[in-house]
């Protein structure tokens, strides 16, 4: 035993424990979660009329007198099992808003629906991928820092240079960080302006738009190779009552496309004035894409759009070109982060700007790990579709975790820790792999039966 690695010795100790079977059931119930949360406490269900105890659960009978539950982290780089569950929920959330289901009527598939992409503006030239040369220049030339203004190479899509500035000294890192910090506000103003344009285009008073129609959406933020966020959104036009109501006759897809393009080029957000930076006017980039989603297959596929959004929300920072998956607390954390020099510079600028009093409300230091971007990866309007909470409740009902009518439940829980020991982590990883393989086999069987 002493000659075995510590991880193997710990795994053998767990397997030989008298409560191993129950521990295995707990870890399997979490899907092999990589960083489970450990709770201690009890739940008691009482009959409201008689006070009789109908059901009682206490962790004092559990291994280690605790219950392990999922960490629910969406990032695959942090916890792959929980990220798969989150991706599944996201897929159904987005798909329900496109095709119906989950209490959303199937008639939404016939509404004006767009898949919209809004990009960040340019903060300086960066290297690009493609079959053609990156940034060819006939006259050559150099910038004020003595670096060439062009690049004649044809970069592969996975080349390390992709997204990196041609000249880091010319690149506007300050504007990049502040644009991230205001991107959510820019989106809010964009949505408001789209409503205004729709109202004006059909002769409605802007304040009365809600009496005739409603704009519903789900959006996801994605980091480009240059570490700048751009936004993908599903936008749907409903009637005044949302998904249950048909839009007015004037509500066409083309009208919605025109409003989206017009608003994307018009809206702006001004930053607070800073003696060190001044006041910046922040806008969307010039690249705007608004494509109609069709029910007859002539356009982006609804399921493909939902799957794309679901896949993106689980990506970790290492996959997206963002900062890190964890917050940073000191400048030393930035220096030690496993990121490119371009991203490291963005993190340093974010940290520096976060120390200025005029930017204190932006909480830039708290969001240094996301390069200043403060919004959620996925957001949606209330009427677009179901919610994550509703999907979790449906899953709990499916596995039998339901409340009994005419009862009251008393809960007393406290946090007692998180994570695995090295041996437990090894066993949990094996469970997660087995469950993932079983899912793939079931999908393959269902796919064969559907042919």
């Amino acid at each position: 035993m002493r000659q075995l690695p510590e991880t193997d010795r710990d795994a053998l100790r767990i397997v030989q424990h008298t409560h191993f079977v129950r521990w295995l059931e707990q870890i399997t119930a979490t899907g092999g979660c990589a960083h489970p949360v450990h709770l201690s406490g009890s739940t008691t269900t009482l009959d409201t009329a008689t006070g009789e105890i109908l059901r009682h659960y206490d962790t004092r009978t559990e291994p280690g007198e605790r219950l392990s539950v999922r960490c629910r982290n969406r990032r695959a780089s942090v916890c792959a099992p929980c990220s798969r569950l989150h991706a599944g929920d996201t897929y159904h959330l987005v798909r329900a808003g496109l095709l119906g289901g989950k209490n959303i009527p199937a008639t939404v598939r016939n509404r004006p629906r767009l898949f919209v992409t809004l990009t960040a503006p340019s903060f300086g030239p960066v290297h690009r991928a493609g079959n053609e040369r990156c940034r060819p220049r006939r006259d050559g030339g150099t910038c004020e820092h003595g670096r060439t203004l062009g690049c004649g190479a044809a970069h592969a899509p996975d080349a390390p240079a992709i997204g990196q500035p041609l000249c880091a000294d010319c690149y506007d890192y300050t504007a990049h960080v502040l644009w991230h910090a205001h991107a959510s506000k820019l989106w809010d103003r964009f949505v408001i302006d789209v409503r205004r344009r729709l109202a004006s285009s059909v002769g409605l008073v802007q304040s009365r738009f809600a009496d005739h129609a409603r704009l519903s959406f789900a959006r996801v933020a994605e980091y480009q190779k240059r570490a700048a966020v751009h936004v993908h959104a599903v936008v749907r036009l409903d009637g005044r009552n949302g998904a249950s109501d048909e839009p007015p006759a004037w509500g066409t897809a083309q009208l919605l496309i025109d409003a989206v393009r017009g608003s994307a080029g018009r809206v702006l957000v001004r930053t607070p004035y800073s003696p060190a930076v001044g006041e910046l006017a922040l806008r969307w980039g010039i690249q705007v894409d608004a494509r109609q989603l069709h029910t007859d297959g002539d356009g982006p596929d609804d399921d493909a759009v939902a799957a794309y959004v679901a896949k993106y929300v689980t990506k970790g920072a290492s996959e997206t070109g963002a900062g890190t998956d964890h917050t940073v607390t000191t400048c030393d954390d930035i220096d030690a982060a496993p990121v490119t020099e371009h991203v490291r510079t963005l993190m340093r600028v974010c940290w520096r700007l976060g120390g200025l009093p005029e930017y204190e409300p932006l909480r830039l230091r708290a969001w240094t790990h996301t390069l200043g971007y403060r919004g959620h990866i996925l957001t949606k309007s209330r009427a677009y579709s179901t919610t994550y909470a509703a999907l979790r409740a449906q899953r709990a009902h499916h596995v039998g975790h339901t409340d009994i009518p005419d009862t009251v439940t008393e809960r007393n829980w406290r946090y007692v820790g998180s994570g695995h020991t090295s041996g437990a982590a090894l066993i949990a990883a094996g469970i997660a792999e087995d469950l993932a393989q079983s899912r793939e086999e079931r999908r393959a069987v269902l796919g064969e039966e559907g042919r």
Side-chain angles (χ1 to χ4, degrees):
M1 285 285 289
R2 293 181 180 178
Q3 296 177 350
L4 293 174
E6 173 58 30
T7 299
D8 293 343
R9 293 203 304 270
D10 186 44
L12 286 173
R13 178 187 60 80
I14 294 172
V15 170
Q16 293 171 354
H17 198 279
T18 55
H19 290 155
F20 171 68
V21 173
R22 175 54 187 158
W23 178 87
L24 199 63
E25 291 175 350
Q26 281 198 30
I27 300 304
T28 302
T30 68
C33 175
H35 298 278
V37 176
H38 307 305
L39 304 175
S40 176
S42 62
T43 298
T44 304
T45 302
L46 307 171
D47 188 302
T48 53
T50 65
E52 177 187 359
I53 297 177
L54 302 178
R55 189 166 59 190
H56 179 74
Y57 170 79
D58 198 308
T59 58
R60 284 180 292 184
T61 61
E62 296 286 6
E65 297 188 359
R66 66 188 189 184
L67 176 68
S68 298
V69 298
R70 286 180 177 270
C71 68
R72 291 183 179 176
N73 195 294
R74 68 171 181 84
R75 296 182 184 271
S77 57
V78 177
C79 181
C82 287
S83 75
R84 281 193 291 268
L85 190 66
H86 188 79
D89 286 349
T90 302
Y91 173 80
H92 289 292
L93 184 150
V94 176
R95 189 179 188 277
L98 289 170
L99 299 173
K102 311 297 182 184
N103 297 322
I104 303 297
T107 52
V108 295
R109 70 182 62 198
N110 300 316
R111 310 272 173 85
R113 302 168 306 150
L114 307 181
F115 187 54
V116 177
T117 299
L118 303 175
T119 62
S122 174
F123 305 108
V126 298
H127 291 280
R128 300 180 296 198
N131 296 326
E132 299 180 355
R133 290 189 295 168
C134 175
R135 289 185 177 272
R137 289 179 65 94
R138 292 182 179 179
D139 56 352
T142 59
C143 68
E144 60 181 293
H145 305 102
R147 297 184 178 90
T148 180
L149 294 173
C151 175
H155 300 298
D158 57 350
I162 301 302
Q164 307 304 301
L166 270 67
C167 176
D169 294 320
C170 290
Y171 195 87
D172 196 345
Y173 284 98
T174 297
H176 188 146
V177 167
L178 291 176
W179 192 90
H180 272 177
H182 291 84
S184 294
K185 182 180 288 188
L186 193 60
W187 169 263
D188 291 341
R189 294 192 179 179
F190 164 77
V191 172
I192 292 171
D193 197 72
V194 170
R195 295 192 188 104
R196 289 174 176 170
R197 284 181 175 271
L198 289 171
S200 298
S201 63
V202 295
L204 291 176
V205 178
Q206 295 174 1
S207 60
R208 308 297 296 179
F209 176 78
D211 295 335
H212 299 268
R214 175 176 290 190
L215 198 67
S216 301
F217 65 86
R219 72 172 178 93
V220 62
E222 179 178 4
Y223 285 86
Q224 298 169 296
K225 288 288 188 178
R226 59 186 174 126
V229 163
H230 65 177
V231 172
H232 297 298
V234 176
V235 180
R236 190 185 70 224
L237 189 62
D238 298 323
R240 59 178 297 177
N241 297 316
S244 61
D245 200 3
E246 292 296 321
W250 51 258
T252 64
Q254 188 57 52
L255 189 73
L256 187 56
I257 289 174
D258 293 341
V260 164
R261 292 188 178 279
S263 297
R266 178 178 181 273
V267 297
L268 62 85
V269 172
R270 297 189 184 277
T271 65
Y273 173 78
S274 168
V277 178
E279 182 187 74
L280 303 183
L282 306 174
R283 302 176 181 270
W284 295 108
I286 59 174
Q287 294 179 329
V288 178
D289 188 23
R291 289 177 287 171
Q292 182 179 358
L293 291 165
H294 297 277
T295 56
D296 56 6
D298 182 17
D301 180 76
D302 296 326
D303 283 331
V305 169
Y308 173 81
V309 173
K311 181 180 179 180
Y312 182 76
V313 296
T314 64
K315 289 184 178 180
S318 60
E319 298 176 89
T320 61
T324 64
D325 288 330
H326 305 283
T327 58
V328 298
T329 55
T330 66
C331 287
D332 292 339
D333 292 341
I334 298 175
D335 294 337
V339 296
T340 65
E341 193 56 35
H342 174 55
V343 172
R344 196 184 317 280
T345 303
L346 284 167
M347 296 175 71
R348 287 171 178 157
V349 170
C350 196
W351 188 269
R352 176 175 59 81
L353 294 176
L356 300 179
E358 55 269 28
Y359 296 138
E360 184 177 355
L362 301 179
R363 301 183 64 239
L364 290 173
R365 290 192 171 179
W367 295 100
T368 295
H369 65 297
T370 59
L371 314 182
Y373 180 72
R374 302 184 299 142
H376 292 287
I377 291 297
L378 176 74
T379 57
K380 73 175 190 67
S381 60
R382 181 173 298 179
Y384 174 76
S385 70
T386 186
T387 64
Y388 283 119
L391 291 171
R392 287 194 292 267
Q394 290 175 8
R395 186 162 52 249
H397 183 272
H398 178 71
V399 298
H401 297 166
T402 57
D403 293 330
I404 303 174
D406 302 321
T407 62
V408 61
T409 301
E410 298 177 354
R411 298 179 176 88
N412 181 24
W413 294 94
R414 63 187 180 91
Y415 169 81
V416 294
S418 63
H420 286 300
T421 62
S422 59
L426 181 65
I427 298 173
I431 292 172
E433 185 177 348
D434 289 343
L435 291 174
Q437 184 175 351
S438 296
R439 279 192 297 270
E440 291 301 320
E441 291 175 352
R442 284 198 300 271
R443 287 184 184 139
V445 170
L446 292 174
E448 289 293 333
E449 291 177 350
R451 292 179 182 176

